[in-house]
Amino acid sequence: MDLNADLGEGFGAWRLGDDDALLDVVTSANVACGFHAGDPSTMHRVCRTAVAKNVAIGAQVGYRDLAGFGRRRIDYDHDELRDDILYQIGALEAFCRVAGDRVRYVKPHGALYNTAAVDPGQASAVVAAVLAYDPALPLLCQPGSELARQALDRKLTVVGEGFADRGYLPDGRLVPRSRPDALVHEPGQVVQRAVRMAADGSVTAVDGSAVPCPVRSICLHGDTPGAVDLARAVRDGLRAGGLEVRPFT
């Protein structure tokens, strides 16, 4: 099972999360590419550290929305969204090459992630960008989503992702962040959910129902309070459950 986290989400003088500490724990790093968060120096630093620690690097692409941290839906023209995503992948690729590696996968961020999961137009733009850049790049997204379906239809590799620290709706979508039950805070519960996703391919929704969740990667958010300790606990829990923790790439 892969363990990923969103990294490089600082900007300028502002740092968000402990990237270096998380890179000691996770096996894949979703690196912000400068649109919803991040900047060139941050991207360079995170890529260099990730390569040194044998962590796979993925392009975390988002809306052009630094002020809103990419968590506000934007209605894009299809080709403009495709080109914005291409731009971000290419920018991160430059820093990966300087560090001695390459972009290993693509993952949408925030509102783009949630919108592409249900909106055919935005899902199509994400798929078009990956196909244009490198059809061999895996796409990390929610299993069963619109984005996953379109990607599979176009013969892209889809890697199912689960969120141990996020609430799920009965239909398999994530609980909106505006709701009080959007995040799971209790560490023991987070670990238990991660192990269940990895071992059984399911997760408990906010109404108590079991939701299918076949995943190859589990995400923990780097901006969550206590993120580093939580990531360590999830990694240790997976290993205790007999699962090898390694990059899906």
Side-chain angles (χ1 to χ4, degrees):
M1 180 58 58
D2 177 62
L3 188 59
N4 78 74
D6 301 341
L7 301 176
E9 293 186 318
F11 180 78
W14 306 102
R15 290 288 184 96
L16 183 64
D18 190 340
D19 292 337
D20 289 349
L22 279 168
L23 284 167
D24 285 328
V25 182
V26 300
T27 49
S28 294
N30 318 315
V31 182
C33 300
F35 272 31
H36 76 276
D39 59 28
S41 293
T42 301
M43 293 160 69
H44 192 174
R45 173 179 55 80
V46 174
C47 287
R48 186 175 61 244
T49 307
V51 170
K53 297 183 178 183
N54 295 314
V55 175
I57 299 170
Q60 188 189 24
V61 297
Y63 292 143
R64 190 191 297 264
D65 182 25
L66 280 173
F69 196 58
R71 286 182 175 163
R72 305 179 293 190
R73 173 174 174 151
I74 298 176
D75 291 321
Y76 265 85
D77 171 80
H78 175 278
D79 290 354
E80 183 180 359
L81 179 56
R82 177 202 62 205
D83 293 344
D84 274 6
I85 294 169
L86 275 170
Y87 184 98
Q88 293 174 76
I89 300 171
L92 186 66
E93 184 77 64
F95 293 111
C96 285
R97 289 187 179 184
V98 169
D101 203 353
R102 61 181 174 84
V103 171
R104 299 285 177 171
Y105 62 94
V106 174
K107 174 187 172 179
H109 164 81
L112 175 58
Y113 188 102
N114 293 327
T115 302
V118 297
D119 182 273
Q122 295 209 8
S124 175
V126 175
V127 169
V130 177
L131 282 170
Y133 189 83
D134 182 356
L137 281 179
L139 187 59
L140 185 60
C141 61
Q142 277 192 279
S145 63
E146 176 68 22
L147 179 56
R149 287 191 292 271
Q150 287 201 30
L152 289 170
D153 286 345
R154 299 298 300 276
K155 310 303 182 185
L156 290 176
T157 298
V158 172
V159 177
E161 177 183 37
F163 295 84
D165 57 358
R166 288 294 308 274
Y168 278 79
L169 297 171
D171 63 2
R173 291 180 299 135
L174 296 176
V175 174
R177 282 185 174 269
S178 57
R179 286 179 39 169
D181 52 356
L183 293 174
V184 180
H185 297 283
E186 204 281 309
Q189 189 177 3
V190 173
V191 173
Q192 184 181 48
R193 289 162 68 83
V195 173
R196 181 177 179 183
M197 284 186 212
D200 300 333
S202 67
V203 65
T204 301
V206 291
D207 67 348
S209 61
V211 177
C213 193
V215 301
R216 291 173 56 199
S217 183
I218 293 173
C219 178
L220 289 168
H221 291 91
D223 58 341
T224 301
V228 176
D229 290 338
L230 195 58
R232 289 194 187 105
V234 169
R235 181 196 60 191
D236 293 345
L238 291 171
R239 287 174 172 169
L243 294 156
E244 181 184 0
V245 179
R246 59 182 176 84
F248 65 81
T249 54

